Amino acid sequence: MASSSQSSIAVPIFSGENYDFWSIKLKTYFVSQDLWDIIETGVDLDTTANLTEEQQTQLKEKKQKNAKALYTLQSAVDDTIFPRIMGATTAKEAWTKLKEEFQGNEKVRTIKLQTLRRDLENIKMKDSETAKNFYSRVKDIVNQMSIYGEVIADKKLVEKILISLSEKYDPIVTAIEESKDIKTLSVTELMGSLEAYEQRLSRRNEAPIESAFQSKLNFGKSQKSKEDGGKSKGNYKGDKPNNNWVKREIGKKNFPPCKICEIPNHRTEDCWHKGKPKCDNCKRFGHIAKYCRAKKNFHANYHEEEKEEEAKLFYARQTSSEEKK
């Protein structure tokens, strides 16, 4: 029955990283297979003399369990780690070698534990941090301490969290201290209260922001209305043009071609090019052929400049038309 169970459970493989996690998983595996006791107590493989029949039977069972545990350990490490334990004859010996190399001996573990204690003592919540994220950082340190043999009680953890929160949690901390018994308060209850408090703060902060945004939007509309004199001229994308603007734009097309620039959307006397010389080379106004830039490798920019000139004409006519009104 045990062998069937053993074959159905995957064994975690250790490749040299995260030894603490791997050792916890493998210990749980050994417990499930009734093999952990042989790793803790070990077995003397050389003791065979002066044993009763019952003792010999027990020794045989221990040797079998040792072989299973040792094989499991050998199978649970990567090929690069296997040479460290290939000489071990008992599961306890192999387990101890891995523990000392990757977790450290007693002295190393004591130093690491002292460092973790100091980290737990000094940890403080950041102003921009949520209660959940802060608790995750605290819990990570506490979990590492448990690996090195020190378990932090809930009472001590609750006290640590309460004194390490940022100032914005002062009201809820005061309420918890006055209304609840800290000695019996669980971490789950504490975190539930802190997260509920965060949600209330969030809802309160959202209302002023939404109100401010709406006010800004209304102010923008009001300013636009003032600038337009209460009437949209429809001269930018997204506006619906009014009838006066449409009539004005349609009327421009009724002019005959200008005798100066031959463009039909304005009168000859209003032409922007009136009185300017016209180049015989590029057919543009403002210079003569002698000084034409088109002769000096400016052909690539001609059409772009033509568009710019037309834009200038349009805005100039718009300005002139507004001034006449």
Side-chain angles (χ1 to χ4, degrees), residues 1-11 29 33:
M1 185 74 179
S3 60
S4 174
S5 175
Q6 184 173 359
S7 61
S8 64
I9 302 176
V11 179
Y29 175 84
Q33 301 301 316

Side-chain angles (χ1 to χ4, degrees), residues 52 93 107 120 127 188:
T52 64
E93 182 184 359
K107 184 177 180 180
L120 183 62
D127 291 337
T188 304

Side-chain angles (χ1 to χ4, degrees), residues 252-266:
K252 289 181 181 179
K253 298 180 182 178
N254 295 331
F255 288 110
C258 172
K259 294 179 181 180
I260 298 174
C261 65
E262 300 180 352
I263 296 175
N265 62 353
H266 63 277

